[in-house]
Amino acid sequence: MTITVSTPATAADLRRYRTLAYTAGAVTALCALHADTSPGVVPVGPGGHTLLPDAVYAASDRCATPDGPRPQPYGQTVLDRVVTGDGALIAWRVPGGGPDPDTGPAWTAGIAWIRLGLTTRLLDLAAAHLRGRTVAGVVTLNLPMVRGILADAAAGIAEARALLDTGAGPYGAELHRVHRALDESGRSCLHLFGAAGFLTDGPGGDLRVSELLAETYPPPTDVEAS
């Protein structure tokens, strides 16, 4: 059963954010998720931080808090700017900000689907990279150790996809399992690129974005959600 989250604007099929992240990148997927789940409101993580495209800030005059949206405090200090393949993400600190109980669950679930798309793309890029390289005349992709690493990464992605497909909601242990599986799969893929995997303008940059999104917008624990 696909997870469907009703919002004041639409009922968003969260699978589409995986597709957008895979084909276009994190910025495009985040802009779409924001438009569907919290238009006009800057989503804020439980630590009071944001990680969003410039366009989201420009289109929003409010920010999320546990008590509902409030006017956005302008002139915020930029904590970090993370460049991605399809744009850039900006990190801010919002004092008093936090997940809105009405829109936060949809945003949190959407982040997991975006990460699934980014990690799946990373796996496919790793396979294509290895297919074009050889070691002692053997295509690198066909080496048993390499195939084992790819298989482990693919299994982690499959686990995350299965949990999301069968209804892992924005709270609870299931969504935490999704993020752990994607973390492990992404890091396994990164090592297959060799030194190129750790360049900020390469696959390492995409993995960093994926992990930063999970850190900024983690699902609450069962205790926090109760």
Side-chain angles (χ1 to χ4, degrees):
M1 179 178 66
T2 302
I3 306 170
T4 302
V5 178
S6 297
T7 73
T10 184
D13 180 357
L14 300 181
R15 285 184 180 180
R16 86 182 191 93
Y17 306 117
R18 171 198 175 276
T19 302
L20 283 171
Y22 183 95
T23 58
V27 170
T28 301
L30 286 167
C31 285
L33 176 62
H34 176 256
D36 289 341
T37 61
S38 53
V41 179
V42 171
V44 183
H49 295 92
T50 69
L51 184 66
L52 299 164
D54 279 325
V56 171
Y57 294 111
S60 305
D61 59 1
R62 292 163 293 159
C63 63
T65 80
D67 298 318
R70 72 179 188 197
Q72 179 174 306
Y74 291 96
Q76 297 287 77
T77 300
V78 173
L79 302 177
D80 197 6
R81 181 180 180 86
V82 183
V83 177
T84 73
D86 62 332
L89 301 177
I90 309 300
W92 278 2
R93 167 75 175 159
V94 182
D100 185 312
D102 293 328
T103 60
W107 178 263
T108 301
I111 291 295
W113 281 93
I114 288 173
R115 292 199 69 208
L116 177 64
L118 294 174
T119 309
T120 304
R121 182 172 68 175
L122 188 63
L123 175 64
D124 289 349
L125 288 173
H129 172 76
L130 296 169
R131 195 174 290 117
R133 300 175 70 86
T134 61
V135 176
V138 178
V139 175
T140 309
L141 184 63
N142 294 332
L143 295 173
M145 181 179 295
V146 170
R147 294 183 71 86
I149 294 173
L150 282 171
D152 287 343
I157 290 171
E159 177 188 3
R161 178 65 183 266
L163 287 166
L164 291 171
D165 274 338
T166 55
Y171 302 130
E174 290 83 0
L175 203 54
H176 285 281
R177 283 178 59 193
V178 168
H179 285 296
R180 285 196 299 272
L182 294 176
D183 285 343
E184 293 171 3
S185 293
R187 293 179 188 185
S188 293
C189 290
L190 197 62
H191 288 289
L192 295 172
F193 290 94
F198 296 90
L199 298 175
T200 56
D201 60 349
D206 290 339
L207 179 62
R208 181 184 179 220
V209 166
S210 177
E211 292 186 346
L212 285 174
L213 285 172
E215 292 173 4
T216 306
Y217 302 107
T221 64
D222 290 328
V223 172
E224 292 170 334
S226 62

